[in-house]
């Protein structure tokens, strides 16, 4: 398992050549799966590469298959916000814990501080659901532990 923040800015290598640096990932919150990596390729801009082309995530670099196809990324990395079941905005996702072999998301790190009674802090959430707008829905009991 690895944390996204630990591998961010690592070089992405294909055919012994550096393609770019890892900027982030695209996630499907419904399946709790990382689907694409977003790579900064210098003057060529940002590219999206499907996670199935990742051969290895090693110490200091990410290796992708020679057959990898990329698409141009015209957008920005989406921010995922977290709400509790009563509709209160709790925070936003700041990191993901991802299983390397399956690219499944095991946990999401939430940074709080959007609610007046919640002090900014980071906490790992293992139990969450996705709601229709692409946000994370947390049990209301989690908010009770975060409000002082």
């Amino acid at each position: 398992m690895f944390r996204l923040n630990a591998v961010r800015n690592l070089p992405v290598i294909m055919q012994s050549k550096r393609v770019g640096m890892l900027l982030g990932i695209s996630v499907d919150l419904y399946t709790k799966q990382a689907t694409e990596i977003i790579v900064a390729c210098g003057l060529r801009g940002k590219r999206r590469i499907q996670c199935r082309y990742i051969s290895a995530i090693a110490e200091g670099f990410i290796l992708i298959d020679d057959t990898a196809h990329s698409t141009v990324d015209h957008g920005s990395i989406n921010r995922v916000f977290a709400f509790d079941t009563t509709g209160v905005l709790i925070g936003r996702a700041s990191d993901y814990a991802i299983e390397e072999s399956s690219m499944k998301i095991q946990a999401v790190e939430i940074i709080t501080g959007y609610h007046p009674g919640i002090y900014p802090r980071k906490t790992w959430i293992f139990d969450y659901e996705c709601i229709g707008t692409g946000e994370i829905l947390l049990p209301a009991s989690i908010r009770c532990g975060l409000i002082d």
Side-chain angles (χ1 to χ4, degrees):
M1 188 172 349
F2 67 92
R3 290 180 52 192
L4 175 62
N5 285 347
V7 297
R8 189 170 279 144
N9 294 326
L10 286 183
V12 177
I13 309 293
M14 180 173 72
Q15 295 178 349
S16 302
K17 296 178 185 166
R18 185 172 134 180
V19 176
M21 304 288 276
L22 180 70
L23 280 179
I25 60 171
S26 178
V27 297
D28 182 353
L29 292 173
Y30 293 104
T31 60
K32 297 183 179 182
Q33 182 91 19
T35 56
E36 297 174 316
I37 60 172
I38 302 168
V39 180
C41 299
L43 294 176
R44 292 179 293 161
K46 293 186 284 187
R47 310 288 286 181
R48 290 179 173 264
I49 300 171
Q50 293 182 1
C51 288
R52 65 185 166 126
Y53 293 117
I54 296 174
S55 299
I57 298 174
E59 190 78 27
F61 64 93
I62 298 170
L63 187 64
I64 57 174
D65 289 339
D66 300 344
T67 60
H69 299 287
S70 64
T71 57
V72 176
D73 180 41
H74 296 292
S76 60
I77 298 172
N78 294 335
R79 300 288 180 222
V80 176
F81 290 96
F83 295 87
D84 73 358
T85 52
T86 63
V88 175
L89 176 62
I90 299 297
R92 69 169 178 84
S94 60
D95 198 2
Y96 298 96
I98 303 170
E99 179 62 41
E100 185 175 340
S101 60
S102 65
M103 296 305 282
K104 285 277 193 188
I105 298 171
Q106 302 296 318
V108 178
E109 183 184 55
I110 302 294
I111 185 167
T112 62
Y114 290 90
H115 188 273
I118 302 176
Y119 292 106
R121 68 179 86 158
K122 294 180 180 181
T123 186
W124 284 95
I125 305 295
F126 295 89
D127 181 28
Y128 66 92
E129 295 178 22
C130 181
I131 53 179
T133 55
E135 282 111 11
I136 294 174
L137 183 66
L138 305 174
S141 59
I142 290 177
R143 181 183 60 154
C144 295
L146 296 175
I147 295 177
D148 294 330

